Amino acid sequence: MSTTFQLDTSTSRATPTPAPMKRLTVPAIRARKSAEPLVMLTAYTVRTAQILDPHCDMLLVGDSLGQVIYGLPSTVPVTLEMMCAHGAAVVRGSYHSVVIIDMPFGSYEGSPEQAFASAARILKETGAAAVKLEGGAAMAPTVKFLSERGIPVMAHIGLTPQAVNVLGGYGARGKSQAEHARILDDAKAVTEAGAFALLVEGVLEPLAIAITQSVDVPTIGIGASAHCDGQVLVTEDMLGLFERTPRFVKRYAEMADFIEHAVTAYAAEVRARAFPAPEQTYQPQTASRS
Ligand code: KIV
């Protein structure tokens, strides 16, 4: 049965019918280590959240919205304001998944106190349950500081896109023995510091296996093989909205073609004065006879 939504204009909350199950919690996600694989997708808007929510365990309001929604060249320019606005929309559109919001570049690296202020703002303004931040051993004290103060943290290691200016690109990590060992140490450092889950991006399969076997929290992979405890993709990538598909993405639909087809038909009908037709046109009421 499909879900319908009624908008409560006083709270801007979309109330679903039928009522969905209770929202999952961070401890429930944490407990899924080595169990049924966890399903996570990105969402940035209310309608997308509504559609994805029943099928996912977690919705990630990723800072990839910088490129996907705003056409920015990287995630570096993304702001706290953007993350809060989109995060609140995704929370309003979801009832089942744990919503996790990316901490944008520059909002947490300075100190654990800076990270706490930014993360607290994100949770207060959005109603989300957790934040995600990029970085390994260097961020472990911050992960500990936030976790001990009531802010659940998903740590993101391996390929960390906010560090593109240091890394020089988005290639897979863990190719040398030294890099393999360093990323494995990162995984242990942030999970021992209290991260409830670990997002592992763009690493060779043997490293993904080693990380997943070495930590006691779920690993969520993107470009990190099928050996992680769960998977995440950028929704617009898996829906085929962009021309270029990264090697680790499977296109489950061809949304760009679908939209192109609909817009071509609309444009042709407008130009032919075939749209709007009588069904879409308001006419004066005919006077009723007394
Ligand atoms: O910002 C993002 O979308 C991410 C991906 C790794 C899913 O962090």
Side-chain angles (χ1 to χ4, degrees):
M1 191 200 305
S2 70
T3 307
T4 55
F5 293 86
Q6 190 166 14
L7 189 68
D8 175 348
T9 46
S10 60
T11 60
S12 295
R13 199 160 175 88
T15 308
T17 312
M21 55 188 102
K22 258 178 85 182
R23 198 185 281 279
L24 288 169
T25 62
V26 166
I29 298 295
R30 166 85 179 67
R32 291 270 292 272
K33 176 75 185 172
S34 308
E36 189 195 357
L38 288 157
V39 178
M40 179 157 107
L41 281 170
T42 59
Y44 318 120
T45 63
V46 68
R47 187 62 189 130
T48 306
Q50 288 168 347
I51 297 167
L52 303 183
D53 184 48
H55 307 280
C56 291
D57 302 301
M58 292 176 279
L59 292 176
L60 172 67
V61 186
D63 61 355
S64 50
L65 63 76
Q67 289 123 311
V68 175
I69 301 278
Y70 291 94
L72 294 168
S74 73
T75 55
V76 172
V78 171
T79 64
L80 262 178
E81 286 68 26
M82 290 175 184
M83 298 311 300
C84 286
H86 289 274
V90 169
V91 171
R92 282 196 291 271
S94 61
Y95 288 82
H96 167 64
S97 308
V98 172
V99 177
I100 300 162
I101 305 201
D102 256 337
M103 300 194 67
F105 179 71
S107 72
Y108 64 94
E109 303 89 332
S111 66
E113 288 78 7
Q114 182 208 18
F116 183 82
S118 301
R121 176 176 169 196
I122 289 174
L123 297 197
K124 278 171 186 282
E125 290 188 16
T126 65
V131 296
K132 173 165 83 61
L133 57 79
E134 294 185 9
M139 279 298 132
T142 298
V143 172
K144 185 167 160 50
F145 193 87
L146 297 186
S147 307
E148 286 176 347
R149 285 161 180 78
I151 299 183
V153 180
M154 174 180 281
H156 179 158
I157 61 161
L159 170 61
T160 47
Q162 291 177 8
V164 61
N165 291 318
V166 174
L167 301 174
Y170 297 102
R173 308 280 130 182
K175 290 184 178 162
S176 70
Q177 263 190 352
E179 199 174 48
H180 177 111
R182 190 170 43 71
I183 295 173
L184 193 52
D185 285 347
D186 282 341
K188 291 176 186 161
V190 288
T191 52
E192 280 163 16
F196 75 91
L198 195 55
L199 192 145
V200 184
E201 177 165 1
V203 301
L204 303 193
E205 187 172 57
L207 178 53
I209 294 172
I211 293 171
T212 300
Q213 288 176 348
S214 306
V215 301
D216 63 357
V217 301
T219 55
I220 312 297
I222 176 163
S225 87
H227 293 277
C228 294
D229 298 300
Q231 297 292 328
V232 61
L233 283 175
V234 170
T235 299
E236 285 74 0
D237 280 344
M238 59 85 90
L239 291 180
L241 209 57
F242 295 110
E243 273 177 18
R244 190 184 155 273
T245 311
R247 166 140 153 59
F248 57 84
V249 172
K250 178 171 173 184
R251 291 170 81 101
Y252 286 84
E254 291 300 335
M255 278 288 285
D257 291 349
F258 191 77
I259 293 172
E260 176 88 36
H261 186 75
V263 173
T264 303
Y266 168 74
E269 289 194 6
V270 169
R271 290 189 180 112
R273 294 197 187 281
F275 176 84
E279 309 88 271
Q280 292 98 28
T281 305
Y282 295 110
Q283 296 294 353
Q285 295 274 14
T286 48
S288 59
R289 286 191 208 155
S290 52

